[in-house]
Amino acid sequence: MTRKPTLAVVGATGAVGTVMLKILSTRADVWGEIRLVASARSAGKKLTVRGEQVEVRALAPEVFDGVDVAMFDVPDEVSAQWAPIAVEHGAVVVDNSGAFRMDPDVPLVVPEVNPAQARVRPKGIISNPNCTTLTMIDALGALHRRWNLRELVVCSYQAASGAGQPGIDRLHDELQAVAGDRSLGRTAGDVRRALADKLGDAPSPFPAPLALNVVPWAGSRKDDGWTSEELKVRDESRKILGIPDLKVSATCVRVPVVTTHSLAVHAVFAEAITVDEARDALVEAPSVVVVDDPENLEFPTPADSVGTDPTFVGRLRQALDFPNTLELFVCGDNLRKGAALNTAQIAELVATEFAEV
């Protein structure tokens, strides 16, 4: 007889948590009880999951009693404090924060790339990668298996939702503030002045206007001018693919898109690779959709990818001046595969371990 494990969703009321509940309601039902957990101010709310209203519980040690798997989508400091508590109560934690990603005793898992690592968890915790890394890693994993990836140069075009609900709200506020004024964007600083006039000193998660603009900065400041997002692309790609000496350089850019990250990828391989071979390998990859028809100007865009689960790949080209090198453009919903979906997929891997005969 098979037992369905008990699942806790911690951070159920957040932007990613909301998507998690939708995903849990549409995927194969492998769970018994699903508990919804959030901060004390959200306790008592009722949210819909699997067609049923479930009351949100306040985060406390006792909510993990009897829980087999706990999916966390909370700030790093909250995960750092509460994930070990959940483990002490018997749960396997699948954490979407950055608190444990580079811990050598915590696997960083993408089910299509390194599923076996989900069973190697000495601390009882499995980490979900950063959404920017996740946007491209399914495609790169499929290519690496055959041609051995050696170098990676990436420019990301990251949606406002990567900064959470405040990012989404700020982008909409800015778009509303500049809408209808066709004189803007013609003089240096005019967009900034228009936003200051209409939005005043309202706080923004972005260091520059995002409407009618792109901002070459995502994440927090790190040494030597790098951002946290850029270093995550480097460090997490190495760990997921198992290439500790992979050469990586990333530039992360925020763009005026609500949801779905895009990346322009320059990938160098150890073995000779052709565009046709790469396309065939990507078509065979179960979570990748190839949209690549230059004659008809068909390629992935965020507006055509948002709200869906696959990784979309197009603009496949052999680099003109670099041997064994592919150029490709990738899009993926950063709230779904980039966060909630991958977390749910990892949790489902763990759920199979709780089958009892």
Side-chain angles (χ1 to χ4, degrees), residues 121-206:
R121 45 177 194 264
K123 291 187 175 180
I125 300 170
I126 305 168
S127 271
N128 193 56
N130 174 263
C131 54
T132 313
T133 308
L134 270 169
T135 300
M136 66 176 181
I137 209 69
D138 280 1
L140 290 178
L143 297 174
H144 170 62
R145 280 192 290 272
R146 289 184 57 181
W147 291 284
N148 297 315
L149 184 65
R150 288 293 175 261
E151 300 178 19
L152 197 57
V153 180
V154 177
C155 186
S156 71
Y157 307 93
Q158 297 184 212
S161 58
Q165 191 62 44
I168 297 173
D169 292 341
R170 178 67 188 194
L171 176 58
H172 281 299
D173 290 344
E174 290 188 6
L175 291 173
Q176 186 173 8
V178 302
D181 189 344
R182 297 193 179 192
S183 70
L184 292 175
R186 301 172 184 269
T187 304
D190 61 355
V191 172
R192 191 182 295 270
R193 289 189 293 272
L195 294 180
D197 179 57
K198 294 188 177 182
L199 300 181
D201 58 358
S204 172
F206 311 119

Side-chain angles (χ1 to χ4, degrees), residues 14-357:
V16 174
T18 300
V19 176
M20 281 183 178
L21 301 190
K22 293 178 181 177
I23 287 172
L24 289 171
S25 299
T26 57
R27 290 180 66 81
D29 188 7
V30 302
W31 305 107
E33 179 189 357
I34 296 180
R35 298 181 190 176
L36 307 184
V37 183
S39 64
R41 66 178 178 273
S42 296
K45 290 183 177 179
K46 290 188 176 181
L47 303 175
T48 302
V49 60
R50 298 187 297 187
E52 299 178 359
Q53 290 280 295
V54 179
E55 186 171 316
V56 176
R57 305 187 190 190
L59 181 58
E62 56 270 20
V63 302
F64 298 108
D65 290 340
V67 169
D68 298 303
V69 182
M71 300 196 305
F72 274 62
D73 183 69
V74 292
D76 290 10
E77 62 274 13
V78 178
S79 280
Q81 176 185 354
W82 285 95
I85 293 173
V87 172
E88 288 175 2
H89 283 250
V92 174
V93 170
V94 183
D95 181 42
N96 191 42
S97 84
F100 303 99
R101 286 176 185 150
M102 299 316 298
D103 186 323
D105 291 327
V106 175
L108 189 63
V109 173
V110 180
E112 296 87 348
V113 179
N114 61 342
Q117 290 299 308
R119 292 180 175 268
V120 186
R121 45 177 194 264
K123 291 187 175 180
I125 300 170
I126 305 168
S127 271
N128 193 56
N130 174 263
C131 54
T132 313
T133 308
L134 270 169
T135 300
M136 66 176 181
I137 209 69
D138 280 1
L140 290 178
L143 297 174
H144 170 62
R145 280 192 290 272
R146 289 184 57 181
W147 291 284
N148 297 315
L149 184 65
R150 288 293 175 261
E151 300 178 19
L152 197 57
V153 180
V154 177
C155 186
S156 71
Y157 307 93
Q158 297 184 212
S161 58
Q165 191 62 44
I168 297 173
D169 292 341
R170 178 67 188 194
L171 176 58
H172 281 299
D173 290 344
E174 290 188 6
L175 291 173
Q176 186 173 8
V178 302
D181 189 344
R182 297 193 179 192
S183 70
L184 292 175
R186 301 172 184 269
T187 304
D190 61 355
V191 172
R192 191 182 295 270
R193 289 189 293 272
L195 294 180
D197 179 57
K198 294 188 177 182
L199 300 181
D201 58 358
S204 172
F206 311 119
L210 192 56
L212 304 181
N213 203 20
V214 297
V215 181
W217 187 273
S220 57
R221 182 178 178 273
K222 298 297 181 180
D223 292 342
D224 300 321
W226 295 98
T227 73
S228 57
E229 289 285 305
E230 292 160 349
L231 296 182
K232 287 173 186 176
V233 170
R234 177 177 184 262
D235 296 339
E236 294 179 17
S237 296
R238 288 176 162 188
K239 185 173 181 179
I240 295 164
L241 296 172
I243 316 173
D245 60 348
L246 180 66
K247 296 180 179 179
V248 182
S249 183
T251 299
C252 291
V253 180
R254 193 74 71 182
V255 296
V257 168
V258 175
T259 296
T260 294
H261 289 350
S262 304
L263 298 97
V265 179
H266 173 98
V268 182
F269 298 89
E271 313 297 334
I273 181 173
T274 69
V275 169
D276 287 342
E277 289 173 333
R279 184 181 289 108
D280 288 344
L282 292 169
V283 167
E284 292 172 5
S287 59
V288 175
V289 173
V290 177
V291 183
D292 187 43
D293 185 353
E295 291 186 5
N296 293 300
L297 298 180
E298 293 182 0
F299 36 72
T301 71
D304 297 318
S305 307
V306 64
T308 66
D309 292 339
T311 297
F312 293 86
V313 181
R315 295 300 320 279
L316 290 166
R317 291 151 288 151
Q318 165 64 50
L320 296 177
D321 299 315
F322 302 88
N324 303 345
T325 301
L326 283 180
E327 311 291 347
L328 54 151
F329 191 76
V330 186
C331 291
D333 188 314
N334 53 294
L335 298 184
R336 293 185 71 86
K337 182 57 178 175
L341 175 60
N342 201 74
T343 304
Q345 289 174 309
I346 297 170
E348 289 167 4
L349 288 178
V350 179
T352 62
E353 301 174 24
F354 287 87
E356 294 179 347
V357 179

